[in-house]
Amino acid sequence: MGWNRVAVVGVGMIKFGELFEKSYEALLQEAYLAAIRSVDKGFDPGEIQAGWLGTCLGSAMGLEIPGGASLAATVGLVEIPVTRVENGCPTGSDTFRNACLGVASGVYDVAIAIGVEKMRDKPTEESLLSIAAQGHPILSRGGIAPSLFAPQATRHMHEFGTTKEQMALVAVKNHHNGCLDPYAHFQTEITVEQVLSSPPVSYPLQLLDCCPQTDGAAAAILCRADLARRYTDRPVYVAGFGMGSDYLYLTEKERATEFAATRRAAKQAYAMAGVSPRDIDVAEVHDCFTITEILNYEDLGFCEKGEGGRFIQEGKSQLSQLGGSLPVNPSGGLLAKGHPLAATGLAQIAELYWHLREESSVSNRQAHLRRGYALQHNVGGFGIATSVVTILTNHAD
Amino acid sequence: MGWNRVAVVGVGMIKFGELFEKSYEALLQEAYLAAIRSVDKGFDPGEIQAGWLGTCLGSAMGLEIPGGASLAATVGLVEIPVTRVENGCPTGSDTFRNACLGVASGVYDVAIAIGVEKMRDKPTEESLLSIAAQGHPILSRGGIAPSLFAPQATRHMHEFGTTKEQMALVAVKNHHNGCLDPYAHFQTEITVEQVLSSPPVSYPLQLLDCCPQTDGAAAAILCRADLARRYTDRPVYVAGFGMGSDYLYLTEKERATEFAATRRAAKQAYAMAGVSPRDIDVAEVHDCFTITEILNYEDLGFCEKGEGGRFIQEGKSQLSQLGGSLPVNPSGGLLAKGHPLAATGLAQIAELYWHLREESSVSNRQAHLRRGYALQHNVGGFGIATSVVTILTNHAD
């Protein structure tokens, strides 16, 4: 009943972390090779007819302008088109979405989507946000990413009684999950007390409410759904996707307790896939801050408006083996796995691919599959005004 | 016989030039409104289901990160997805290509592609190339854009006897054409002597061999070919497109006398459109420098390898009314119309749309239509390693 015109037949990612010793090109190549090698029945890279490269930070730093050719040349795919996508925090999922459109267009049978980011080896004064802050009407007034998400937290606390303890539970859950994910940047259990007593960043967000700065890369190989069984007997299908926008400034937005871009993206994705939130077995969502995951529960329809705090408190988003009914961020999420901007969306796709195929690599955190649908989500960019939602399934009917 | 699954039903651009008095958002809005208003049978912007925004310079400056939402929010299209594409000099044509794929995928019936660039109102020391130069293995050794294209010129002169006079003729032709185009940055006739005596920039390129730095914006409205007659009785169809890559460094490239990326893009585009260079009535090609246009003649198959200098000298690329058999850059090209990176490709599409529809706005430079095919081309990006070729037609059969 879904769209199901495009299949994912391979995914790859590298261990996220502080990768000072590896170049941008090395990250890109490692994720590329991991994706190629993951294809069950083997894969000749010469079959790739088009590529989409997601990467943000190079140009934001002013140090390089990594066009599509930086993928093409690095892996030797010079015959093919490679588009470079940059769209803030949802860059990875928008890169994947454009590759889906390319394959669905009928112009390309097989495509690659790859996201890569070096976030750590830059001087602090040249970090993305400090550069972006120059001349920006909000950021130049002392804003940092946490202070863009803090107002949503205070307003949600005010309107719905959401607590800092509930937010802390998101960090505790995701750091627990990260301990089970060998690709995660952080692999340490934390407690609610540790979150609440970590250094304050932007009220009410403490340090452990915030995701780290992380290097990483991830990739997916996509093909026409009717060709998928050439490559694997267990393809994952793209059931649907959506992408929404919003006005850029808080003063222009309708409500401070939700992300309208996410709601718009989710509405499109559910309609395209012909499913509802009840059909989702597992989700990887954009937990750049703990409050973001709580808002996502509501914006994605996992619970009612205002119920996000209770959703985490009641354990509904825990891993299946801990009794969760809709496991969210089994990979550790942005909070524990890390958030290398353009790599994040594709790493989420990889995690969900493994769950939908019940691969041994995720057996320690495998989501219980009921309906066979998984949801991927990013939200962000300037003004938190862009969101992408992707719905994957392990069955084509 | 071509692809013809997507139609262009409206185009818009603003007068290119030094637009210090207008903001980025103002350029974007003007091009957007011009495209909307150009649709013959009227057009409700609410019909736009997806957008692609091409823009390079903001993030290269480190001053802003203009994601897709900067289009969505500026024109009020917050319900729809907007992908931001950045791919060096071919950004505009790659933006158009991704919009084509989006429409052809069947997911979106109507889409907009828009390119916008503010190039002039930045301090020189923060210009695109000076920032990009930091840390770049070629540019940091004193390279500027002209010095990346100069080696192709000297080698072409050495191997094929191409002369500086022939290169100058490209500038003379395009500046003449620019005088006929009210949208062009420069509208002044120049002579071969003026080109040859203009200040040297990077041997053998003089100042008038180089395109200017220009502000601008341009847009196109695309729809499913089968819906085109809702909007106009004279749609222009996308017969085909191609995009090729190349290795980044001169030492890795096979030949210094051609752009392999262009040859790859052209091969794909001609095959997709089912036509050959002989079917092209008019072309807008990437004349960032005079030598580039001469190489393009060869790389696009308008003449044999090594014959590019003779092609311009014999007047073949002149306007039809001056006896040209394949008019190239009737708009004035990058040399006279200007080159606001991401806007350039879409402005080329606009010029060709007007020619294919024989609009009164181009009657002073109208190409003689024989077969009804027009070709658009960009090449560039780091390492001159990315090229896009688009073939448009005024008939769907």
Side-chain angles (χ1 to χ4, degrees), chain A residues 43-301:
Chain A
F43 185 76
D44 172 2
E47 296 189 52
I48 299 173
Q49 295 173 352
W52 278 262
L53 169 66
T55 189
C56 296
L57 217 48
S59 63
M61 293 293 184
L63 295 179
E64 45 179 306
I65 311 169
S70 69
L71 167 62
T74 301
V75 302
L77 294 176
V78 295
E79 297 289 335
I80 69 163
V82 184
T83 292
R84 183 206 165 190
V85 173
E86 184 189 326
N87 227 340
C89 293
T91 295
S93 38
D94 196 19
T95 301
F96 182 82
R97 170 179 161 273
N98 275 274
C100 286
L101 294 171
V103 170
S105 75
V107 178
Y108 310 110
D109 293 338
V110 182
I112 188 165
I114 189 162
V116 57
E117 221 74 71
K118 290 276 287 179
M119 314 254 314
R120 293 296 295 162
D121 59 346
K122 301 291 183 183
T124 305
E125 70 270 27
E126 291 184 12
S127 69
L128 173 65
L129 284 167
S130 64
I131 289 182
Q134 297 166 33
H136 187 275
I138 291 177
L139 293 175
S140 64
R141 283 165 176 74
I144 51 173
S147 71
L148 293 177
F149 287 80
Q152 280 81 3
T154 50
R155 189 72 200 172
H156 207 271
M157 292 165 78
H158 172 72
E159 283 193 31
F160 304 111
T162 303
T163 65
K164 289 184 64 166
E165 287 73 16
Q166 289 170 333
M167 287 186 250
L169 283 169
V170 173
V172 170
K173 167 180 74 72
N174 291 356
H175 278 264
H176 172 74
N177 295 354
C179 293
L180 305 174
D181 179 358
Y183 290 106
H185 188 170
F186 294 145
Q187 291 163 333
T188 312
E189 300 277 358
I190 59 171
T191 64
V192 168
E193 292 66 36
Q194 283 175 312
V195 179
L196 295 177
S197 62
S198 65
V201 174
S202 183
Y203 182 84
L205 303 174
Q206 316 283 131
L207 185 64
L208 288 172
D209 287 295
C210 305
C211 72
Q213 295 251 2
T214 300
D215 301 321
I221 295 171
L222 302 86
C223 72
R224 274 170 41 194
D226 59 314
L227 303 178
R229 289 188 185 266
R230 284 188 193 171
Y231 305 109
T232 175
D233 291 327
R234 293 183 301 154
V236 164
Y237 300 93
V238 180
F241 48 77
M243 182 175 177
S245 304
D246 199 5
Y247 295 101
L248 298 175
Y249 302 113
L250 204 50
T251 51
E252 298 175 293
K253 293 179 194 281
E254 272 193 66
R255 286 185 197 82
T257 54
E258 62 190 42
F259 296 118
T262 293
R263 291 182 173 250
R264 291 170 178 139
K267 186 178 167 190
Q268 293 170 25
Y270 286 129
M272 190 167 168
V275 298
S276 79
R278 288 183 304 279
D279 296 304
I280 304 300
D281 292 340
V282 54
E284 286 273 316
V285 309
H286 200 84
D287 57 323
C288 50
F289 303 100
T290 52
I291 185 63
T292 320
E293 180 164 322
I294 288 176
L295 265 57
N296 294 339
Y297 297 153
E298 302 173 12
D299 292 338
L300 295 167

Side-chain angles (χ1 to χ4, degrees), chain B residues 8-355:
Chain B
V8 184
V9 296
V11 297
M13 64 178 289
I14 65 169
K15 184 187 184 317
F16 284 8
E18 292 191 331
L19 307 175
F20 293 112
E21 75 286 10
K22 293 180 182 177
S23 68
Y24 176 92
E25 290 77 8
L27 303 194
L28 194 151
Q29 286 169 329
E30 272 189 54
Y32 168 79
L33 289 173
I36 298 289
R37 290 174 182 153
S38 79
V39 178
D40 292 338
K41 299 184 182 177
F43 185 75
D44 171 3
E47 295 189 52
I48 300 173
Q49 295 172 353
W52 278 263
L53 169 66
T55 188
C56 297
L57 216 49
S59 63
M61 293 292 182
L63 296 180
E64 47 178 306
I65 312 168
S70 68
L71 167 60
T74 300
V75 302
L77 295 175
V78 295
E79 297 290 335
I80 69 164
V82 184
T83 292
R84 182 202 163 192
V85 173
E86 185 189 325
N87 226 340
C89 293
T91 295
S93 39
D94 196 17
T95 301
F96 181 82
R97 171 180 162 271
N98 274 275
C100 287
L101 294 171
V103 170
S105 75
V107 178
Y108 310 110
D109 293 337
V110 181
I112 187 164
I114 188 163
V116 57
E117 221 74 74
K118 288 277 286 180
M119 315 254 313
R120 295 295 296 162
D121 58 347
K122 301 290 183 183
T124 305
E125 70 271 25
E126 289 182 14
S127 70
L128 174 65
L129 283 167
S130 64
I131 289 182
Q134 297 166 32
H136 186 274
I138 291 177
L139 294 177
S140 65
R141 282 165 176 74
I144 50 174
S147 71
L148 294 176
F149 287 80
Q152 280 82 2
T154 51
R155 189 72 200 172
H156 207 270
M157 291 163 79
H158 174 72
E159 283 193 33
F160 303 111
T162 304
T163 64
K164 288 184 64 166
E165 287 73 15
Q166 290 170 333
M167 287 186 252
L169 284 169
V170 172
V172 171
K173 167 179 74 72
N174 291 355
H175 278 265
H176 171 74
N177 295 354
C179 293
L180 305 174
D181 179 358
Y183 291 106
H185 188 168
F186 293 145
Q187 290 162 334
T188 312
E189 299 278 358
I190 59 171
T191 64
V192 168
E193 292 65 37
Q194 283 175 312
V195 178
L196 295 177
S197 63
S198 64
V201 174
S202 182
Y203 182 84
L205 305 175
Q206 316 284 129
L207 185 64
L208 288 173
D209 286 296
C210 306
C211 72
Q213 297 251 2
T214 300
D215 302 321
I221 295 170
L222 303 87
C223 73
R224 277 171 38 196
D226 60 315
L227 303 179
R229 289 190 185 265
R230 285 187 192 172
Y231 305 108
T232 175
D233 290 327
R234 294 184 300 155
V236 164
Y237 299 93
V238 180
F241 48 78
M243 182 175 176
S245 304
D246 198 6
Y247 295 102
L248 298 175
Y249 302 113
L250 204 50
T251 51
E252 299 175 292
K253 294 180 194 280
E254 270 193 69
R255 286 185 197 82
T257 53
E258 62 189 41
F259 296 117
T262 293
R263 291 182 172 250
R264 290 171 178 137
K267 186 177 168 191
Q268 293 169 26
Y270 287 128
M272 190 166 168
V275 299
S276 80
R278 287 183 304 281
D279 297 304
I280 304 300
D281 293 338
V282 54
E284 286 275 315
V285 309
H286 201 86
D287 58 324
C288 49
F289 303 100
T290 51
I291 185 62
T292 319
E293 180 163 321
I294 288 176
L295 266 56
N296 294 339
Y297 296 153
E298 303 173 11
D299 292 339
L300 295 167
F302 296 169
C303 66
E304 293 300 312
K305 176 91 184 167
E307 299 286 327
R310 233 175 318 240
F311 194 80
I312 176 72
Q313 194 162 13
E314 293 173 358
K316 291 183 177 167
S317 51
Q318 295 283 0
L319 296 180
S320 299
Q321 41 280 63
L322 298 176
S325 54
L326 201 177
V328 174
N329 286 327
S331 72
L334 285 60
L335 286 166
K337 189 170 63 181
H339 181 27
L341 308 181
T344 293
L346 285 152
Q348 293 173 318
I349 297 282
E351 177 77 10
L352 298 174
Y353 179 85
W354 295 325
H355 281 269

